[in-house]
Protein backbone atom coordinates (compact mmCIF):
# COMPACT_ATOMS: atom_id res chain seq x y z
CA UNK A 1 0.00 0.00 0.00
CA UNK A 2 1.25 3.44 -0.87
CA UNK A 3 0.38 6.87 0.45
CA UNK A 4 -0.43 7.94 -3.11
CA UNK A 5 -3.35 5.55 -3.36
CA UNK A 6 -5.92 6.30 -4.59
CA UNK A 7 -4.87 8.78 -7.27
CA UNK A 8 -7.10 11.83 -7.69
CA UNK A 9 -9.04 10.54 -10.69
CA UNK A 10 -9.80 7.29 -8.89
CA UNK A 11 -10.84 9.17 -5.75
CA UNK A 12 -13.41 11.10 -7.78
CA UNK A 13 -14.63 7.92 -9.44
CA UNK A 14 -15.05 6.26 -6.04
CA UNK A 15 -17.30 9.09 -4.89
CA UNK A 16 -19.51 8.66 -7.95
CA UNK A 17 -19.47 4.89 -7.48
CA UNK A 18 -20.60 5.21 -3.85
CA UNK A 19 -23.49 7.47 -4.83
CA UNK A 20 -24.51 5.10 -7.61
CA UNK A 21 -24.66 2.19 -5.17
CA UNK A 22 -27.06 4.02 -2.87
CA UNK A 23 -29.29 4.85 -5.82
CA UNK A 24 -29.16 1.34 -7.26
CA UNK A 25 -29.28 -0.63 -4.00
CA UNK A 26 -33.03 -1.32 -4.36
CA UNK A 27 -32.31 -2.66 -7.86
CA UNK A 28 -29.73 -5.07 -6.40
CA UNK A 29 -32.27 -6.35 -3.88
CA UNK A 30 -34.88 -6.82 -6.63
CA UNK A 31 -32.26 -8.66 -8.70
CA UNK A 32 -31.70 -11.15 -5.87
CA UNK A 33 -35.44 -11.63 -5.47
CA UNK A 34 -35.79 -12.37 -9.17
CA UNK A 35 -32.89 -14.83 -9.09
CA UNK A 36 -34.54 -16.48 -6.09
CA UNK A 37 -37.42 -17.57 -8.32
CA UNK A 38 -35.08 -20.09 -9.95
CA UNK A 39 -32.75 -20.66 -7.00
CA UNK A 40 -34.41 -19.92 -3.64
CA UNK A 41 -31.03 -19.66 -1.89
CA UNK A 42 -30.56 -16.23 -3.47
CA UNK A 43 -33.34 -14.93 -1.24
CA UNK A 44 -32.02 -16.33 2.04
CA UNK A 45 -29.99 -14.52 4.74
CA UNK A 46 -30.49 -11.12 3.12
CA UNK A 47 -29.08 -9.31 6.19
CA UNK A 48 -25.66 -10.78 5.37
CA UNK A 49 -25.69 -8.83 2.09
CA UNK A 50 -25.65 -5.68 4.24
CA UNK A 51 -22.73 -6.89 6.36
CA UNK A 52 -25.02 -7.84 9.24
CA UNK A 53 -24.00 -11.48 9.58
CA UNK A 54 -23.95 -12.97 13.07
CA UNK A 55 -20.24 -13.57 13.58
CA UNK A 56 -19.34 -16.88 15.21
CA UNK A 57 -15.64 -16.38 14.46
CA UNK A 58 -13.30 -13.60 15.54
CA UNK A 59 -10.15 -12.77 13.57
CA UNK A 60 -10.48 -15.57 11.03
CA UNK A 61 -8.68 -15.76 7.73
CA UNK A 62 -11.23 -14.42 5.24
CA UNK A 63 -11.48 -16.19 1.87
CA UNK A 64 -13.76 -14.64 -0.74
CA UNK A 65 -14.78 -17.19 -3.39
CA UNK A 66 -17.52 -15.63 -5.48
CA UNK A 67 -18.90 -18.85 -6.98
CA UNK A 68 -18.38 -22.57 -7.44
CA UNK A 69 -15.15 -22.51 -9.45
CA UNK A 70 -13.43 -20.10 -7.10
CA UNK A 71 -14.55 -22.14 -4.09
CA UNK A 72 -13.11 -25.30 -5.56
CA UNK A 73 -9.77 -23.61 -6.17
CA UNK A 74 -9.79 -22.28 -2.60
CA UNK A 75 -10.59 -25.63 -0.97
CA UNK A 76 -7.05 -27.10 -0.75
CA UNK A 77 -5.68 -23.82 0.61
CA UNK A 78 -8.44 -23.59 3.21
CA UNK A 79 -7.69 -27.14 4.29
CA UNK A 80 -4.02 -26.21 4.71
CA UNK A 81 -4.90 -23.09 6.71
CA UNK A 82 -7.14 -25.12 9.01
CA UNK A 83 -4.31 -27.63 9.48
CA UNK A 84 -2.17 -24.72 10.70
CA UNK A 85 -4.77 -23.94 13.38
CA UNK A 86 -6.49 -21.02 11.65
CA UNK A 87 -10.23 -20.43 11.55
CA UNK A 88 -11.67 -19.47 8.17
CA UNK A 89 -14.53 -17.25 7.04
CA UNK A 90 -15.72 -17.79 3.47
CA UNK A 91 -17.89 -15.33 1.54
CA UNK A 92 -19.76 -15.91 -1.72
CA UNK A 93 -22.08 -14.15 -4.12
CA UNK A 94 -23.74 -17.18 -5.74
CA UNK A 95 -25.57 -20.06 -4.06
CA UNK A 96 -23.37 -22.53 -5.94
CA UNK A 97 -20.27 -21.20 -4.17
CA UNK A 98 -21.97 -21.10 -0.80
CA UNK A 99 -23.36 -24.63 -1.14
CA UNK A 100 -19.96 -25.98 -2.14
CA UNK A 101 -18.38 -24.42 0.96
CA UNK A 102 -21.07 -25.93 3.21
CA UNK A 103 -20.75 -29.32 1.51
CA UNK A 104 -16.97 -29.38 1.68
CA UNK A 105 -16.55 -28.01 5.22
CA UNK A 106 -19.67 -29.24 7.00
CA UNK A 107 -17.66 -30.90 9.77
CA UNK A 108 -15.54 -27.81 10.34
CA UNK A 109 -18.60 -25.56 10.35
CA UNK A 110 -20.19 -27.72 13.04
CA UNK A 111 -16.95 -27.54 15.03
CA UNK A 112 -16.89 -23.73 14.89
CA UNK A 113 -13.76 -23.52 12.73
CA UNK A 114 -15.38 -22.34 9.47
CA UNK A 115 -18.22 -19.89 8.88
CA UNK A 116 -19.94 -19.32 5.53
CA UNK A 117 -21.80 -16.08 4.70
CA UNK A 118 -22.80 -13.97 1.71
CA UNK A 119 -20.34 -11.32 0.60
CA UNK A 120 -21.74 -7.87 1.46
CA UNK A 121 -23.04 -5.47 -1.15
CA UNK A 122 -20.17 -3.23 -2.24
CA UNK A 123 -21.05 -0.27 -0.03
CA UNK A 124 -19.01 1.41 2.68
CA UNK A 125 -21.73 0.81 5.28
CA UNK A 126 -21.99 -2.92 4.56
CA UNK A 127 -18.24 -3.47 4.69
CA UNK A 128 -17.84 -1.38 7.84
CA UNK A 129 -20.33 -3.67 9.58
CA UNK A 130 -18.79 -6.82 8.12
CA UNK A 131 -15.22 -5.95 9.11
CA UNK A 132 -16.25 -4.74 12.58
CA UNK A 133 -18.05 -8.00 13.32
CA UNK A 134 -15.39 -10.41 12.06
CA UNK A 135 -12.12 -8.41 12.29
CA UNK A 136 -10.37 -10.78 9.85
CA UNK A 137 -6.60 -11.22 10.10
CA UNK A 138 -6.31 -10.80 6.35
CA UNK A 139 -8.39 -11.44 3.25
CA UNK A 140 -7.76 -13.63 0.22
CA UNK A 141 -9.85 -12.77 -2.87
CA UNK A 142 -9.85 -15.75 -5.21
CA UNK A 143 -9.02 -15.23 -8.90
CA UNK A 144 -9.71 -11.63 -9.99
CA UNK A 145 -12.50 -9.85 -8.13
CA UNK A 146 -12.07 -6.08 -7.97
CA UNK A 147 -14.69 -4.40 -5.75
CA UNK A 148 -13.88 -0.77 -4.89
CA UNK A 149 -15.56 -0.52 -1.47
CA UNK A 150 -14.20 -3.90 -0.40
CA UNK A 151 -10.70 -2.67 -1.19
CA UNK A 152 -11.11 0.76 0.39
CA UNK A 153 -12.83 -0.54 3.54
CA UNK A 154 -10.03 -3.04 4.14
CA UNK A 155 -7.42 -0.33 3.72
CA UNK A 156 -9.30 1.98 6.11
CA UNK A 157 -9.53 -0.74 8.76
CA UNK A 158 -5.99 -2.04 8.27
CA UNK A 159 -7.05 -5.48 7.00
CA UNK A 160 -4.49 -6.73 4.43
CA UNK A 161 -6.41 -7.82 1.33
CA UNK A 162 -4.67 -10.01 -1.24
CA UNK A 163 -5.62 -11.42 -4.58
CA UNK A 164 -5.07 -15.16 -4.47
CA UNK A 165 -4.70 -17.70 -7.28
CA UNK A 166 -4.96 -14.61 -9.41
CA UNK A 167 -4.76 -14.16 -13.13
CA UNK A 168 -5.34 -11.11 -15.32
CA UNK A 169 -6.69 -12.42 -18.65
CA UNK A 170 -5.35 -10.60 -21.67
CA UNK A 171 -8.71 -9.20 -22.78
CA UNK A 172 -9.49 -7.89 -19.31
CA UNK A 173 -6.00 -6.44 -18.92
CA UNK A 174 -6.12 -4.63 -22.27
CA UNK A 175 -9.58 -3.24 -21.53
CA UNK A 176 -8.69 -2.14 -17.99
CA UNK A 177 -5.48 -0.44 -19.06
CA UNK A 178 -7.18 1.62 -21.76
CA UNK A 179 -8.83 5.00 -21.24
CA UNK A 180 -8.84 6.19 -17.64
CA UNK A 181 -7.63 2.81 -16.39
CA UNK A 182 -9.71 3.06 -13.23
CA UNK A 183 -10.29 -0.65 -12.70
CA UNK A 184 -6.62 -1.41 -13.25
CA UNK A 185 -5.70 1.35 -10.82
CA UNK A 186 -7.79 -0.33 -8.13
CA UNK A 187 -5.37 -3.28 -8.09
CA UNK A 188 -2.93 -0.90 -6.39
CA UNK A 189 -5.26 -0.90 -3.40
CA UNK A 190 -4.61 -4.55 -2.63
CA UNK A 191 -1.92 -5.39 -0.09
CA UNK A 192 -0.45 -7.73 -2.70
CA UNK A 193 -1.17 -10.78 -4.76
CA UNK A 194 -0.47 -14.48 -5.12
CA UNK A 195 -0.57 -15.06 -8.86
CA UNK A 196 -0.52 -18.04 -11.20
CA UNK A 197 2.46 -17.24 -13.41
CA UNK A 198 5.21 -14.75 -14.10
CA UNK A 199 3.18 -13.42 -17.03
CA UNK A 200 0.32 -12.66 -14.63
CA UNK A 201 2.75 -11.03 -12.19
CA UNK A 202 3.98 -8.74 -14.97
CA UNK A 203 0.42 -7.72 -15.85
CA UNK A 204 -0.58 -6.97 -12.27
CA UNK A 205 2.62 -5.00 -11.74
CA UNK A 206 1.89 -2.95 -14.86
CA UNK A 207 -1.58 -2.20 -13.47
CA UNK A 208 -0.08 -0.88 -10.23
CA UNK A 209 -0.04 -3.80 -7.79
CA UNK A 210 2.99 -4.30 -5.55
CA UNK A 211 4.06 -7.18 -3.27
CA UNK A 212 3.39 -9.87 -5.89
CA UNK A 213 4.30 -13.54 -5.39
CA UNK A 214 4.22 -16.20 -8.13
CA UNK A 215 2.68 -19.26 -6.49
CA UNK A 216 0.96 -21.20 -9.30
CA UNK A 217 -2.52 -22.61 -9.75
CA UNK A 218 -4.27 -23.94 -6.62
CA UNK A 219 -6.61 -26.18 -8.61
CA UNK A 220 -3.69 -28.53 -9.24
CA UNK A 221 -3.84 -29.33 -5.51
CA UNK A 222 -7.58 -30.00 -5.30
CA UNK A 223 -8.60 -33.04 -3.27
CA UNK A 224 -10.18 -35.80 -5.35
CA UNK A 225 -13.25 -37.48 -3.81
CA UNK A 226 -12.40 -41.16 -3.98
CA UNK A 227 -16.00 -42.25 -3.35
CA UNK A 228 -17.04 -40.65 -6.63
CA UNK A 229 -14.28 -42.47 -8.50
CA UNK A 230 -15.33 -45.77 -6.95
CA UNK A 231 -18.97 -45.21 -7.89
CA UNK A 232 -17.98 -44.44 -11.48
CA UNK A 233 -15.83 -47.57 -11.65
CA UNK A 234 -18.81 -49.73 -10.64
CA UNK A 235 -21.19 -48.09 -13.10
CA UNK A 236 -19.02 -47.33 -16.12
CA UNK A 237 -19.10 -50.60 -18.03
CA UNK A 238 -22.85 -51.05 -17.57
CA UNK A 239 -23.64 -47.48 -18.55
CA UNK A 240 -21.29 -46.95 -21.48
CA UNK A 241 -21.35 -50.56 -22.76
CA UNK A 242 -17.74 -50.31 -23.85
CA UNK A 243 -18.27 -47.32 -26.13
CA UNK A 244 -15.75 -44.46 -26.33
CA UNK A 245 -16.98 -41.99 -23.73
CA UNK A 246 -16.72 -38.22 -23.55
CA UNK A 247 -17.72 -35.98 -20.66
CA UNK A 248 -18.74 -32.44 -21.55
CA UNK A 249 -18.08 -30.25 -18.51
CA UNK A 250 -19.36 -26.78 -17.66
CA UNK A 251 -21.33 -26.33 -20.88
CA UNK A 252 -22.70 -22.79 -21.05
CA UNK A 253 -25.61 -21.14 -22.79
CA UNK A 254 -24.87 -20.45 -26.44
CA UNK A 255 -22.87 -23.57 -27.28
CA UNK A 256 -25.45 -26.33 -26.75
CA UNK A 257 -26.36 -26.47 -30.44
CA UNK A 258 -22.74 -27.24 -31.40
CA UNK A 259 -22.39 -29.99 -28.83
CA UNK A 260 -25.77 -31.59 -29.44
CA UNK A 261 -25.12 -31.67 -33.19
CA UNK A 262 -21.77 -33.33 -32.45
CA UNK A 263 -23.52 -35.94 -30.31
CA UNK A 264 -26.05 -36.72 -33.03
CA UNK A 265 -23.28 -37.17 -35.59
CA UNK A 266 -21.02 -39.29 -33.37
CA UNK A 267 -22.12 -42.89 -33.71
CA UNK A 268 -21.03 -45.60 -31.31
CA UNK A 269 -19.99 -43.09 -28.63
CA UNK A 270 -21.40 -42.30 -25.19
CA UNK A 271 -21.59 -38.82 -23.69
CA UNK A 272 -21.98 -37.31 -20.25
CA UNK A 273 -23.40 -33.79 -20.57
CA UNK A 274 -22.91 -31.45 -17.59
CA UNK A 275 -24.32 -27.89 -17.86
CA UNK A 276 -22.42 -25.15 -16.05
CA UNK A 277 -25.38 -23.78 -14.06
CA UNK A 278 -28.17 -25.72 -12.31
CA UNK A 279 -30.83 -23.36 -13.68
CA UNK A 280 -30.00 -24.74 -17.15
CA UNK A 281 -30.66 -28.39 -16.34
CA UNK A 282 -34.29 -28.36 -17.52
CA UNK A 283 -33.50 -26.31 -20.63
CA UNK A 284 -30.74 -28.70 -21.70
CA UNK A 285 -33.01 -31.69 -21.07
CA UNK A 286 -35.55 -30.09 -23.41
CA UNK A 287 -32.91 -29.53 -26.11
CA UNK A 288 -31.74 -33.13 -25.93
CA UNK A 289 -35.32 -34.36 -26.17
CA UNK A 290 -36.04 -32.09 -29.14
CA UNK A 291 -32.94 -33.42 -30.89
CA UNK A 292 -34.17 -37.01 -30.52
CA UNK A 293 -31.20 -38.02 -28.39
CA UNK A 294 -31.62 -41.03 -26.10
CA UNK A 295 -30.76 -39.63 -22.69
CA UNK A 296 -31.51 -39.91 -18.98
CA UNK A 297 -31.09 -37.46 -16.14
CA UNK A 298 -28.72 -38.38 -13.33
CA UNK A 299 -31.36 -37.24 -10.81
CA UNK A 300 -33.84 -39.80 -12.18
CA UNK A 301 -31.45 -42.60 -13.15
CA UNK A 302 -29.11 -42.90 -10.15
CA UNK A 303 -29.65 -43.03 -6.41
CA UNK A 304 -27.93 -40.95 -3.75
CA UNK A 305 -24.90 -43.30 -3.79
CA UNK A 306 -24.58 -42.96 -7.59
CA UNK A 307 -25.80 -46.47 -8.20
CA UNK A 308 -28.68 -48.01 -10.14
CA UNK A 309 -30.39 -51.41 -10.22
CA UNK A 310 -31.33 -51.19 -13.88
CA UNK A 311 -30.11 -48.96 -16.68
CA UNK A 312 -31.94 -48.02 -19.89
CA UNK A 313 -30.37 -47.96 -23.35
CA UNK A 314 -29.14 -44.36 -23.61
CA UNK A 315 -26.46 -42.40 -25.43
CA UNK A 316 -26.26 -39.42 -23.06
CA UNK A 317 -26.28 -39.08 -19.29
CA UNK A 318 -27.39 -35.55 -18.36
CA UNK A 319 -25.43 -34.51 -15.28
CA UNK A 320 -28.12 -32.51 -13.47
CA UNK A 321 -26.38 -32.39 -10.09
CA UNK A 322 -23.78 -30.27 -8.35
CA UNK A 323 -20.61 -31.38 -6.61
CA UNK A 324 -20.23 -34.63 -8.58
CA UNK A 325 -17.91 -33.54 -11.38
CA UNK A 326 -15.25 -36.09 -10.55
CA UNK A 327 -17.86 -38.84 -10.88
CA UNK A 328 -18.82 -37.59 -14.32
CA UNK A 329 -15.18 -37.27 -15.38
CA UNK A 330 -14.30 -40.74 -14.10
CA UNK A 331 -16.86 -42.19 -16.51
CA UNK A 332 -15.09 -40.88 -19.61
CA UNK A 333 -12.07 -41.55 -21.77
CA UNK A 334 -11.55 -37.85 -22.41
CA UNK A 335 -13.21 -34.56 -21.49
CA UNK A 336 -14.60 -31.69 -23.53
CA UNK A 337 -14.46 -28.52 -21.45
CA UNK A 338 -17.29 -26.06 -22.06
CA UNK A 339 -17.24 -22.32 -22.55
CA UNK A 340 -14.74 -22.38 -25.39
CA UNK A 341 -17.35 -21.94 -28.11
CA UNK A 342 -18.58 -18.60 -26.74
CA UNK A 343 -16.53 -15.43 -26.48
CA UNK A 344 -16.74 -15.38 -22.67
CA UNK A 345 -14.20 -18.18 -22.75
CA UNK A 346 -13.54 -21.71 -21.59
CA UNK A 347 -13.62 -23.06 -18.05
CA UNK A 348 -11.27 -25.13 -15.90
CA UNK A 349 -9.33 -27.91 -17.64
CA UNK A 350 -7.50 -29.06 -14.52
CA UNK A 351 -10.09 -31.45 -13.07
CA UNK A 352 -10.00 -33.86 -16.04
CA UNK A 353 -6.21 -33.69 -16.12
CA UNK A 354 -6.20 -34.63 -12.42
CA UNK A 355 -7.83 -37.92 -13.45
CA UNK A 356 -5.36 -38.31 -16.35
CA UNK A 357 -8.05 -37.61 -18.94
CA UNK A 358 -7.02 -35.83 -22.16
CA UNK A 359 -8.90 -32.58 -22.77
CA UNK A 360 -10.59 -31.01 -25.77
CA UNK A 361 -11.37 -27.29 -25.63
CA UNK A 362 -12.93 -24.81 -28.05
CA UNK A 363 -11.35 -21.74 -29.68
CA UNK A 364 -11.83 -19.18 -26.89
CA UNK A 365 -9.35 -19.96 -24.12
CA UNK A 366 -8.28 -16.46 -23.05
CA UNK A 367 -9.94 -17.02 -19.66
CA UNK A 368 -7.71 -20.01 -18.95
CA UNK A 369 -4.55 -18.99 -20.79
CA UNK A 370 -2.67 -20.54 -17.91
CA UNK A 371 -2.57 -23.52 -17.88
CA UNK A 372 -4.31 -24.08 -21.25
CA UNK A 373 -1.40 -22.76 -23.34
CA UNK A 374 1.03 -24.97 -21.44
CA UNK A 375 -1.29 -27.99 -21.69
CA UNK A 376 -1.68 -27.52 -25.44
CA UNK A 377 2.08 -27.24 -25.87
CA UNK A 378 2.56 -30.39 -23.78
CA UNK A 379 0.14 -32.32 -25.97
CA UNK A 380 -2.41 -33.07 -23.23
CA UNK A 381 -5.05 -30.59 -24.46
CA UNK A 382 -6.51 -30.49 -27.99
CA UNK A 383 -7.42 -26.92 -29.00
CA UNK A 384 -10.13 -27.13 -31.69
CA UNK A 385 -11.14 -24.06 -33.68
CA UNK A 386 -14.62 -24.90 -34.92
CA UNK A 387 -17.41 -27.48 -34.91
CA UNK A 388 -15.80 -29.53 -37.69
CA UNK A 389 -12.55 -29.88 -35.75
CA UNK A 390 -14.53 -30.79 -32.64
CA UNK A 391 -16.32 -33.59 -34.47
CA UNK A 392 -13.03 -34.89 -35.86
CA UNK A 393 -11.48 -34.85 -32.38
CA UNK A 394 -14.35 -37.00 -31.13
CA UNK A 395 -14.66 -39.43 -34.03
CA UNK A 396 -10.89 -39.85 -34.50
CA UNK A 397 -9.25 -38.87 -31.20
CA UNK A 398 -5.48 -38.52 -30.96
CA UNK A 399 -3.86 -40.91 -28.49
CA UNK A 400 -2.46 -39.19 -25.39
CA UNK A 401 -0.39 -41.40 -23.05
CA UNK A 402 -1.47 -41.25 -19.43
CA UNK A 403 2.18 -40.83 -18.40
CA UNK A 404 2.33 -37.58 -20.39
CA UNK A 405 -0.61 -36.14 -18.48
CA UNK A 406 0.80 -37.33 -15.15
CA UNK A 407 4.13 -35.63 -15.87
CA UNK A 408 2.42 -32.37 -16.88
CA UNK A 409 0.30 -32.42 -13.74
CA UNK A 410 3.25 -33.09 -11.46
CA UNK A 411 5.16 -30.18 -13.01
CA UNK A 412 2.40 -27.74 -12.09
CA UNK A 413 1.29 -28.97 -8.66
CA UNK A 414 2.37 -27.48 -5.32
CA UNK A 415 0.65 -24.09 -5.32
CA UNK A 416 -0.73 -24.56 -1.79
CA UNK A 417 2.74 -25.02 -0.32
CA UNK A 418 4.09 -22.07 -2.30
CA UNK A 419 1.21 -19.85 -1.14
CA UNK A 420 1.72 -20.82 2.50
CA UNK A 421 5.44 -20.14 2.14
CA UNK A 422 4.78 -16.73 0.60
CA UNK A 423 2.13 -15.59 3.10
CA UNK A 424 4.45 -14.42 5.95
CA UNK A 425 6.55 -12.44 3.47
CA UNK A 426 3.47 -10.94 1.83
CA UNK A 427 2.01 -9.91 5.19
CA UNK A 428 5.33 -8.28 6.05
CA UNK A 429 5.31 -6.50 2.69
CA UNK A 430 8.60 -7.94 1.51
CA UNK A 431 9.60 -10.35 -1.26
CA UNK A 432 10.14 -14.00 -0.47
CA UNK A 433 13.74 -15.27 -0.45
CA UNK A 434 14.95 -16.39 -3.85
CA UNK A 435 13.41 -19.73 -4.74
CA UNK A 436 11.13 -19.87 -1.69
CA UNK A 437 7.99 -19.78 -3.78
CA UNK A 438 9.44 -20.70 -7.13
CA UNK A 439 7.10 -22.89 -9.11
CA UNK A 440 8.16 -26.46 -9.77
CA UNK A 441 9.31 -26.76 -13.34
CA UNK A 442 10.13 -23.05 -13.25
CA UNK A 443 7.89 -22.26 -16.23
CA UNK A 444 4.64 -21.03 -14.80
Amino acid sequence: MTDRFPPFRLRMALLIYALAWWVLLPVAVVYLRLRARKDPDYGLHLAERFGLARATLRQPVWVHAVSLGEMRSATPLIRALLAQGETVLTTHFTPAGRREAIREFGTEIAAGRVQVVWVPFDTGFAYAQFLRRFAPKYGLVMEIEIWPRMIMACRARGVPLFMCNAQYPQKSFDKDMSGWGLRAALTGGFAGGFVKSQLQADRFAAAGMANIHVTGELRFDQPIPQAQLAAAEKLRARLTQGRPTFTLTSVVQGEDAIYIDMIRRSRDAFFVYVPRAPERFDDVAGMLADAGVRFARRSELLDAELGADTLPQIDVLLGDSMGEMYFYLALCDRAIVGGGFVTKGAHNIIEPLALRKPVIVGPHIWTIAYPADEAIAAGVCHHVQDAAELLAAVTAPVDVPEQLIAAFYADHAGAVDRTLAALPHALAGRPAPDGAVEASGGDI
Side-chain angles (χ1 to χ4, degrees), residues 96-107:
R98 184 178 181 127
R99 285 192 291 258
E100 177 69 7
I102 293 171
R103 184 194 66 80
E104 182 68 35
F105 295 102
T107 301

Side-chain angles (χ1 to χ4, degrees), residues 222-234:
Q222 283 185 81
I224 298 175
Q226 297 301 313
Q228 292 188 21
L229 306 193
E233 180 66 23
K234 291 179 182 178

Side-chain angles (χ1 to χ4, degrees), residues 22-139:
W22 283 112
V23 172
L24 296 176
L25 194 56
V27 177
V29 174
V30 171
Y31 169 81
L32 292 177
R33 293 299 188 190
L34 292 175
R35 293 297 300 268
R37 292 180 179 179
K38 285 192 173 182
D39 191 331
D41 283 359
Y42 270 107
L44 300 179
H45 310 293
L46 188 60
E48 294 177 3
R49 303 281 191 179
F50 293 90
L52 301 176
R54 183 177 64 84
T56 61
L57 302 178
R58 189 71 180 171
Q59 292 192 313
V61 176
W62 168 29
V63 177
H64 175 54
V66 62
S67 193
L68 178 62
E70 291 81 5
M71 186 60 220
R72 285 178 174 166
S73 69
T75 293
L77 180 59
I78 293 173
R79 290 247 171 251
L81 289 167
L82 292 170
Q84 290 187 340
E86 300 284 5
T87 58
V88 177
L89 168 70
T90 70
T91 58
H92 316 274
F93 183 81
T94 71
R98 184 178 181 127
R99 285 192 291 258
E100 177 69 7
I102 293 171
R103 184 194 66 80
E104 182 68 35
F105 295 102
T107 301
E108 291 79 7
I109 292 169
R113 302 188 63 211
V114 172
Q115 185 172 358
V116 178
V117 302
W118 294 125
V119 68
F121 288 132
D122 200 41
T123 68
F125 165 80
Y127 271 104
Q129 293 297 315
F130 173 81
L131 295 174
R132 180 180 63 80
R133 289 164 185 255
F134 288 100
K137 289 183 177 179
Y138 56 88

